């Protein structure tokens, strides 16, 4: 009998502890996108992407110019000089071929560099709200498929960061 009472007491205490858990959800991507710093980072990334694109266009122009010169002047060149110019063209062509992938990698690195401080600031604010409002768990709703009921803490974190609430577009409130 004593064992049954002990098990019942343990079960009740476990139930009481689990009932006190508070769960919240947030979309960190949406939060980061509305942070004031995000607009600046986005503008800088667009400028960087335009710069990379211009470099690619310059490479293509250089290849076209050198190819035209080679075609025009190849008959006048000695066989050894023709081979040197041909190898230069091949090397430049390979640079052009690799440029898209290289530019994409460079852009990704720059984007990570720009977004990392925003993500850290968002995470710090989420943690502060969790502590202030006594949330046991805050889950990113973009990765939760099924979960227990919880609160959307996005408005709380926006307020913590000083981001003004934007009204939903017309027709979205259903």
């Amino acid at each position: 009998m004593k064992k049954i009472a002990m098990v019942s007491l343990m079960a009740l205490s476990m139930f009481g502890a689990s009932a006190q858990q508070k769960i919240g959800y947030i979309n960190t991507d949406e939060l980061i996108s509305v942070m004031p710093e995000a607009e600046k980072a986005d503008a800088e990334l667009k400028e960087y992407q335009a710069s990379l694109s211009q470099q690619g266009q310059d490479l293509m122009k250089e290849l076209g110019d050198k190819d035209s010169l080679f075609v025009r002047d190849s008959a006048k060149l000695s066989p050894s000089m023709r081979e040197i110019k041909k190898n230069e063209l091949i090397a430049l062509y390979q640079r052009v071929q690799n440029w898209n992938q290289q530019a994409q990698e460079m852009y990704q690195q720059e984007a990570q560099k720009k977004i990392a401080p925003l993500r850290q600031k968002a995470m710090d604010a989420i943690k502060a709200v969790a502590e202030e409002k006594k949330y046991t768990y805050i889950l990113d709703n973009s990765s939760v498929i099924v979960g227990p009921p919880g609160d959307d803490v996005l408005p709380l974190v926006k307020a913590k960061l000083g981001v003004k609430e934007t009204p939903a577009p017309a027709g979205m409130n259903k």
Side-chain angles (χ1 to χ4, degrees):
M1 189 63 142
K2 206 174 192 183
K3 287 183 182 180
I4 293 176
M6 184 68 126
V7 169
S8 297
L9 183 60
M10 287 174 54
L12 282 174
S13 67
M14 286 175 41
F15 177 74
S18 67
Q20 294 174 359
Q21 291 185 356
K22 194 171 175 185
I23 299 172
Y25 296 92
I26 190 166
N27 184 330
T28 54
D29 290 336
E30 182 180 343
L31 173 64
I32 290 170
S33 73
V34 297
M35 291 171 64
E37 302 93 329
E39 192 174 316
K40 179 183 177 205
D42 188 45
E44 290 172 356
L45 284 172
K46 284 180 181 174
E47 186 178 309
Y48 185 70
Q49 189 173 33
S51 167
L52 291 174
S53 179
Q54 183 61 49
Q55 290 176 37
Q57 290 172 4
D58 292 347
L59 271 175
M60 289 293 292
K61 183 178 180 336
E62 182 183 353
L63 177 63
D65 292 348
K66 286 189 176 186
D67 184 52
S68 295
L69 284 174
F70 180 75
V71 169
R72 188 185 74 201
D73 297 339
S74 65
K76 302 175 199 171
L77 298 173
S78 66
S80 62
M81 189 52 118
R82 192 175 318 137
E83 190 65 28
I84 291 170
K85 294 290 185 185
K86 180 178 155 191
N87 288 338
E88 286 176 3
L89 269 176
I90 290 170
L92 185 55
Y93 176 75
Q94 289 171 341
R95 269 186 65 202
V96 167
Q97 291 296 309
N98 293 329
W99 176 250
N100 284 341
Q101 182 177 350
Q102 185 182 3
Q104 188 174 10
E105 290 169 5
M106 290 167 65
Y107 178 82
Q108 290 298 325
Q109 289 173 352
E110 187 69 15
Q112 288 302 320
K113 209 165 56 172
K114 298 280 185 201
I115 293 172
L118 296 176
R119 192 165 293 285
Q120 186 59 52
K121 185 176 180 180
M123 292 308 295
D124 291 345
I126 292 168
K127 288 175 184 176
V129 165
E131 189 175 319
E132 289 169 9
K133 303 294 183 179
K134 307 291 187 233
Y135 281 95
T136 309
Y137 297 98
I138 294 186
L139 308 170
D140 193 318
N141 65 3
S142 65
S143 61
V144 175
I145 297 172
V146 175
D151 302 329
D152 181 4
V153 297
L154 183 61
L156 298 172
V157 178
K158 281 181 178 179
K160 183 76 170 171
L161 291 170
V163 174
K164 294 187 176 31
E165 281 291 323
T166 54
M172 295 298 288
N173 298 337
K174 289 185 180 180

